[in-house]
Amino acid sequence: MTTLSQRAPSQTCRTLTAEDIEALAIGAWILGTGGGGDPYHKLLNMRILYRAGREVTLIDPMTLDDDAVVGVLSNMGAPLVGQERLADPEFALKPVRMMEEYMGRKFDAIMSLEIGGGNGVHPMLVAALTGYPVVDADTMGRAYPEAQMTSVAVAGLRCYPLTMADIRDNDVIIPRAASWRWMERISRKACTEIGSVAATCKAPRTGAEVKAHGVLYSVSNAIALGHKVREARTAHTDPIEAVLSAAKGKLMFRGKVVDVERRATEGFLRGKAVVEGLGDDAGREMVVHFQNEFSVAYLDGDPVVMTPDLICLLDTVSGEGIGTDVLRFGQRVSVLALPAPEVFLSEQGIAAVGPRAFGFDLDFTSVFEETRP
């Protein structure tokens, strides 16, 4: 199956327009599957930077030299906390400079840890300030909540070093960790202590590692997805159908949110949403669980879609992604399933991000028959 994360762009290097950045925010929020942080605040910063004459260059990952050094960037923490703290481009830049000082050299390029949500826009802030090119790739093809839930972790690549910074002038460097799970535990604890939100620079990757193990062309595909939604809105056609067509997804349910349970704990936002069916789904009920991102959806008590397939809750009218931090009573939502990047359909991938990784006693079953392992 050809998925969003597998289609190559037509250009090897291009300057992103302001319209591309707007589209990226829309597409990344959809691919965030409820997490990755709302991109809105970062989008506001990007608008200011572009008006000031700054630009971002997107490069084809296959043009990277094998020995190029690439910074892998993200915010870490609970999305709900991120909503309460305005994004600052200098906040995103600080861990990059810390990592460069630690390595004793500059980066050749930067990329996102995850294309989903605000983290899909995050490296654009750094690129606009530094002039570094952004690699058209990430390590998730969506958003996941934990450090071991990446394509590079599935491949067994090195998990350290890591740099982290908060807005209070606290800096953290983790020079070594025994495993990806230990890196997750240590960095999550540090993040929790400084307020459950931090900017990070993950273990740097070589150009060869990005080409072999990255989820390639995810930025271009998020931009293309966002453009399709914007076009549908302009033409007053159905943006949900635009997403389904562009991402080769499946509509699982339509309804109204009637209950939300959530709690911020240990640097995560955990809970579930109850959606009461409308239209053809009237009389039915879907319950969608989340840990920052949506993980498993039950329809009338039966599991019908689960990670690593993407579970996306979109506003039925606008096609806008809805984060787990802003779900509320009365929202009219469409629940979509999108195909997972192939790396997560392997035995190792399912072990890292399948339903059991989130505490569900379920064997992974894809709604996309041809992608079942």
Side-chain angles (χ1 to χ4, degrees):
M1 166 179 284
T2 300
T3 68
L4 270 173
S5 61
Q6 297 169 306
R7 293 200 298 269
S10 58
Q11 296 173 291
T12 60
C13 175
R14 65 185 177 112
T15 299
L16 298 182
T17 66
E19 289 72 25
D20 288 332
I21 299 297
E22 298 284 336
L24 173 62
I26 294 171
W29 200 208
I30 292 170
L31 296 176
T33 63
D38 190 331
Y40 181 65
H41 292 155
K42 293 179 181 179
L43 175 60
L44 293 180
N45 276 300
M46 289 302 301
R47 289 173 178 169
I48 293 171
L49 289 167
Y50 262 65
R51 287 169 189 160
R54 304 295 184 108
E55 292 180 329
V56 175
T57 299
L58 186 69
I59 61 172
D60 188 321
M62 302 311 291
T63 65
L64 287 169
D65 291 337
D66 285 351
D67 59 356
V69 179
V70 180
V72 182
L73 314 183
S74 75
N75 265 10
M76 182 179 190
L80 188 62
V81 178
Q83 282 296 311
E84 300 170 354
R85 187 166 293 166
L86 295 180
D88 180 352
E90 295 294 335
F91 174 56
L93 178 58
K94 190 174 182 182
V96 176
R97 296 306 188 204
M98 290 167 59
M99 185 66 79
E100 290 178 326
E101 183 178 356
Y102 181 82
M103 295 189 303
R105 63 156 294 167
K106 298 289 188 180
F107 285 118
D108 296 301
I110 55 177
M111 62 184 280
S112 179
L113 175 77
E114 58 185 5
I115 190 59
N119 276 333
V121 183
H122 187 86
M124 306 298 164
L125 294 172
V126 175
L129 291 175
T130 63
Y132 286 152
V134 175
V135 181
D136 194 354
D138 75 309
T139 68
M140 295 185 182
R142 47 166 296 165
Y144 277 121
E146 299 184 26
Q148 73 277 10
M149 298 176 174
T150 65
S151 60
V152 292
V154 170
L157 302 186
R158 194 173 74 174
C159 65
Y160 56 84
L162 176 145
T163 55
M164 175 187 298
D166 74 354
I167 61 170
R168 301 184 185 89
D169 204 28
N170 291 311
D171 298 344
V172 177
I173 299 176
I174 303 174
R176 191 175 184 89
S179 67
W180 283 99
R181 288 187 179 276
W182 271 109
M183 177 59 80
E184 166 63 28
R185 291 179 65 180
I186 295 167
S187 59
R188 185 70 55 178
K189 185 65 174 179
C191 178
T192 302
E193 288 298 318
I194 59 178
S196 289
V197 64
T200 71
C201 184
K202 310 294 188 183
R205 304 268 67 101
T206 67
E209 288 173 337
V210 172
K211 288 183 282 189
H213 303 294
V215 180
L216 306 182
Y217 308 113
S218 55
V219 180
S220 287
N221 288 314
I223 292 171
L225 181 60
H227 279 308
K228 289 295 185 182
V229 172
R230 296 184 83 196
E231 290 167 6
R233 292 173 182 172
T234 300
H236 301 291
T237 56
D238 186 357
I240 301 300
E241 288 300 323
V243 173
L244 292 170
S245 175
K248 310 227 181 285
K250 292 187 177 183
L251 178 64
M252 304 302 298
F253 197 71
R254 288 188 192 267
K256 178 180 76 172
V257 177
V258 295
D259 191 27
V260 181
E261 297 177 16
R262 60 177 160 237
R263 64 194 186 281
T265 175
E266 299 177 331
F268 298 111
L269 188 66
R270 304 175 190 268
K272 64 181 180 180
V274 181
V275 184
E276 182 182 86
L278 295 174
D280 292 342
D281 294 310
R284 310 192 75 184
E285 180 182 270
M286 178 170 278
V287 179
V288 189
H289 295 261
F290 55 84
Q291 178 185 326
N292 287 7
E293 291 79 33
F294 300 114
S295 52
V296 177
Y298 290 81
L299 181 59
D300 296 333
D302 296 321
V304 292
V305 58
M306 63 194 71
T307 177
D309 284 348
L310 282 68
I311 305 171
C312 307
L313 267 68
L314 308 185
D315 182 281
T316 295
V317 174
S318 70
E320 191 78 12
I322 301 175
T324 56
D325 53 328
V326 295
L327 278 168
R328 66 182 184 274
F329 178 85
Q331 286 175 319
R332 266 59 175 180
V333 301
S334 295
V335 182
L336 278 59
L338 306 184
E342 290 183 4
V343 61
F344 297 119
L345 298 175
S346 66
E347 182 178 348
Q348 297 89 340
I350 291 171
V353 302
R356 295 186 189 278
F358 293 88
F360 295 90
D361 187 19
L362 298 171
D363 293 325
F364 171 65
T365 301
S366 176
V367 301
F368 304 96
E369 294 290 334
E370 60 268 43
T371 67
R372 290 188 183 189

